[in-house]
Amino acid sequence: MTKLATTFIFLCTFVTFSHCLPLSTSSRWIIDDESGKRVKLVCVNWAGHLQTMLPEGLDQQPISHIARHISLMGFNCVRLTWATYMFTRYSNLTVAQSFMNNGLHDAISRIEKKNPHLLGLTVVKAQWTVIKELGRHGVMLVLDNHVSEPMWCCGSNDGNGFWGDKYFQPEEWLEGLDIVAKIYKDLPMVIGVSLRNELRGPLQNQNVWYENVEKGAKTIHRANPNLLIIISGLNYDLDFTFLKQKPLNLHMRNKIVYEIHRYAFTKGQANWFLTQPLNKVCDTIKEEIMNVSGFLLRGENAAPLFFSEFGGDQRGMNPSSNRFMGCILSFLADLDLDWAVWALQGNYYTRQGVPGMEEPFGMFNYTWNSLTSPQYHAKLQLIQQNLRDPKSKQPMYHLLYHPQSGKCLNVAPNNVVYASDCIRASRWSHDGDDTPIQLTGTSLCLTTSREGLPVTLSTDCNEQSTWKLASNYQLSNIDENGMELCLEYDTYSSSSKVLVRKCVGLDGKSIDNPQTQWFKFVSANV
């Protein structure tokens, strides 16, 4: 008990922490038990559920290197995936045996160079070792029960999708949850366990969902009452609409978090981003998310909504993925949700029978020695910040956010307006359509004169300083010639200046990409 208490004191005073553990929930927020202040989960997914049952990349870099760089990237949390059978059937299998069973002799040689101490450990002890090292670097853990049979996920008929499937038997699943909750009881950096990733397939049934979610939640809570319990809906972590009629009634309500996923390819919608007006596509997707899961943030049964998977091709070679990211980043910033981006790993030991397969969504490159895309990483900067806290006594203010680049509208000491990072970004006020956008704490307003010129600041808050929402993503102004112009920041330009140009895509018909003109007011009080 003394040892555990000491650990908690350390967690409350460690330099990277501004909160204590364990965590609970209050309405739609995750909070620390000690102060009641919000703790925002800013996570990256790290796959550990595939055939080897070892978190990916440990043949490329030492554990300490990976853990340190996760923290340096600005993540306070890892969503680490795991397979049920690792704990219920393969717990005595060593890492070396697991890799030999999969014919990965070259990977064994690489692990021997980078993390030799892991090879003789069981796969369970190796996972524990990784988690311990992450905690040493101030990184919290959400342990995601991704599959039962270790394999790539997910398909509707892969045997891992729903209770009663070939590999997904309720009793063994509960056994696995119980083992994991108990193993990590003395590692408080493990702050949550998810019941199951992406429920799916032909066996889906609401009554079975209620029955097993209740059993799983009670199993985890009984084994370790400090843990958050993270619950997925139906249809690949998309749908909770059935909770509108019948909310979950669990006694550990202050430990319940719901999770959702979304990608450009979700529900076969990837082509929408290229063939339909993008403002309309993004509106449609946001409305759908709010209807099927976002409602959980509101009302008497409000709970946190953890956006535990999203992401895109970091090589920039997928136009649908590129456009999707601007849309989903604006959504995450708008609601200031907890989230986990897919993924950390730049490659896999083996995936779908292919040794060394590359992960185009990975934060790390193939050899795990640098970022795949610093530009992609920079886009996450604003949503990595804790923007709103229900305990904050600060008044609400607004940032002007450009989702395509991840940058914010800032003002230099010489009053030049430019786009740059969102850390300590300039604060703005706007009282609605046809009113000025004013730099908070000053008499200066955002103003323009004509197309193609940079926006400036002026104390003359006349017609050229009044702005309106031309769409849910664009801010427009009428110039001195009577033309409607939108704020625009060209991410491909070498200049950081923000201009005004003719608005794109307002007719609801054009498929030209308007995302250079997307600027969102993001509310904050932290």
Side-chain angles (χ1 to χ4, degrees):
M1 179 62 75
T2 302
K3 182 179 179 182
L4 187 59
T6 303
T7 304
F8 273 95
I9 293 169
F10 171 73
L11 286 171
C12 293
T13 58
F14 188 51
V15 67
T16 60
F17 268 73
S18 59
H19 59 267
C20 300
L21 300 175
L23 305 180
S24 293
T25 70
S26 175
S27 184
R28 61 149 292 188
W29 309 103
I30 295 172
I31 60 171
D32 84 47
D33 282 352
E34 183 77 14
S35 69
K37 290 182 179 178
R38 186 197 179 184
V39 178
K40 181 176 179 178
L41 299 186
V42 175
C43 311
V44 62
N45 282 277
W46 190 359
H49 66 277
L50 279 78
Q51 285 90 332
T52 64
M53 296 171 282
L54 183 71
E56 305 293 334
L58 297 172
D59 62 335
Q60 300 293 333
Q61 297 295 337
I63 301 173
S64 59
H65 173 95
I66 295 172
R68 183 166 67 90
H69 281 83
I70 289 170
S71 180
L72 288 173
M73 286 183 213
F75 298 111
N76 66 9
C77 161
V78 162
R79 180 178 181 254
L80 185 65
T81 65
W82 57 279
T84 299
Y85 290 180
M86 172 177 155
F87 293 92
T88 60
R89 301 187 183 189
Y90 307 129
S91 61
N92 293 322
L93 190 71
T94 68
V95 170
Q97 289 168 337
S98 177
F99 276 71
M100 284 190 286
N101 290 348
N102 285 281
L104 298 172
H105 304 289
D106 289 346
I108 291 175
S109 299
R110 293 192 296 272
I111 293 172
E112 200 163 22
K113 293 177 182 176
K114 300 294 184 180
N115 292 287
H117 59 293
L118 295 181
L119 287 172
L121 301 180
T122 65
V123 288
V124 170
K125 186 63 176 178
Q127 186 199 67
W128 187 94
T129 302
V130 169
I131 288 171
K132 182 77 170 176
E133 184 66 17
L134 287 168
R136 199 173 70 82
H137 285 82
V139 178
M140 298 178 288
L141 276 295
V142 168
L143 302 184
D144 171 62
N145 180 224
H146 217 67
V147 289
S148 294
E149 173 69 21
M151 62 189 297
W152 178 247
C153 178
C154 299
S156 293
N157 297 294
D158 63 6
N160 277 298
F162 202 75
W163 295 282
D165 273 349
K166 180 179 179 180
Y167 304 119
F168 193 178
Q169 297 307 312
E171 295 79 11
E172 191 168 4
W173 167 73
L174 291 172
E175 180 188 355
L177 293 179
D178 182 64
I179 293 170
V180 168
K182 287 176 177 174
I183 283 178
Y184 293 109
K185 193 170 185 177
D186 292 336
L187 288 185
M189 294 300 282
V190 176
I191 53 93
V193 172
S194 74
L195 295 185
R196 188 64 166 208
N197 177 69
E198 295 195 357
L199 295 167
R200 61 197 179 275
L203 295 184
Q204 289 183 101
N205 177 287
Q206 291 178 16
N207 291 331
V208 174
W209 184 92
Y210 280 103
E211 177 186 354
N212 285 293
V213 163
E214 182 174 349
K215 287 180 180 178
K218 287 181 176 178
T219 296
I220 292 171
H221 193 67
R222 191 163 46 240
N224 184 353
N226 286 326
L227 291 172
L228 297 176
I229 300 163
I230 300 167
I231 299 172
S232 64
L234 299 175
N235 299 317
Y236 290 87
D237 271 3
L238 295 178
D239 189 6
F240 285 102
T241 49
F242 48 92
L243 290 179
K244 292 179 180 179
Q245 283 73 46
K246 184 183 176 184
L248 268 178
N249 186 21
L250 296 170
H251 72 275
M252 71 293 288
R253 183 175 166 184
N254 70 330
K255 292 292 182 179
I256 299 299
V257 175
Y258 297 99
E259 66 174 329
I260 57 170
H261 294 174
R262 198 84 189 197
Y263 294 96
F265 54 76
T266 296
K267 298 175 67 175
Q269 294 169 349
N271 202 42
W272 287 15
F273 293 92
L274 306 178
T275 61
Q276 298 183 32
L278 195 55
N279 288 349
K280 188 180 293 185
V281 169
C282 197
D283 279 342
T284 300
I285 287 172
K286 290 180 180 181
E287 288 168 10
E288 180 184 299
I289 293 172
M290 291 307 296
N291 182 52
V292 300
S293 56
F295 68 91
L296 292 165
L297 296 166
R298 300 167 181 159
E300 62 178 322
N301 295 309
L305 190 61
F306 181 31
F307 214 114
S308 59
E309 280 190 33
F310 72 98
D313 188 335
Q314 297 202 28
R315 301 168 300 180
M317 297 161 57
N318 186 321
S320 294
S321 182
N322 296 342
R323 296 183 179 193
F324 164 80
M325 283 301 291
C327 176
I328 213 65
L329 288 174
S330 72
F331 180 76
L332 292 171
D334 209 20
L335 292 175
D336 195 21
L337 295 178
D338 303 274
W339 54 267
V341 67
W342 187 275
L344 181 70
Q345 60 273 6
N347 69 344
Y348 297 88
Y349 306 120
T350 183
R351 173 179 151 183
Q352 295 165 295
V354 181
M357 182 185 284
E358 183 180 7
E359 173 54 87
F361 286 34
M363 298 301 298
F364 277 121
N365 65 3
Y366 190 86
T367 53
W368 294 62
N369 63 2
S370 67
L371 290 170
T372 299
S373 170
Q375 295 77 19
Y376 184 101
H377 175 244
K379 292 180 182 183
L380 305 177
Q381 186 186 77
L382 178 66
I383 63 168
Q384 284 184 318
Q385 298 180 46
N386 186 5
L387 299 172
R388 298 201 284 278
D389 188 330
K391 284 276 190 177
S392 174
K393 294 187 169 39
Q394 286 196 47
M396 199 69 74
Y397 59 88
H398 295 94
L399 307 176
L400 261 174
Y401 176 54
H402 187 255
Q404 187 188 47
S405 65
K407 295 183 177 181
C408 288
L409 200 66
N410 283 297
V411 178
N414 61 357
N415 286 343
V416 171
V417 180
Y418 66 106
S420 67
D421 68 59
C422 293
I423 297 174
R424 293 179 292 279
S426 297
R427 301 179 179 187
W428 305 89
S429 62
H430 184 233
D431 293 329
D433 284 352
D434 302 317
T435 64
I437 295 176
Q438 192 165 350
L439 182 63
T440 301
T442 75
S443 59
L444 298 172
C445 296
L446 206 60
T447 190
T448 187
S449 55
R450 60 182 185 272
E451 184 177 16
L453 293 181
V455 290
T456 58
L457 288 175
S458 173
T459 55
D460 183 10
C461 298
N462 57 23
E463 289 185 6
Q464 274 69 60
S465 298
T466 61
W467 300 79
K468 71 172 184 178
L469 286 173
S471 71
N472 286 328
Y473 314 95
Q474 291 156 285
L475 286 162
S476 71
N477 168 285
I478 305 299
D479 75 357
E480 59 190 21
N481 298 316
M483 180 183 292
E484 185 174 16
L485 303 175
C486 283
L487 282 177
E488 180 172 296
Y489 172 61
D490 186 353
T491 55
Y492 296 103
S493 169
S494 59
S495 172
S496 62
K497 291 182 178 178
V498 177
L499 313 177
V500 285
R501 294 196 186 278
K502 184 179 179 181
C503 299
V504 175
L506 297 186
D507 61 1
K509 298 176 183 177
S510 170
I511 61 170
D512 292 339
N513 186 358
Q515 286 188 314
T516 57
Q517 297 183 347
W518 281 12
F519 278 89
K520 291 280 292 180
F521 282 110
V522 174
S523 301
N525 68 351
V526 176

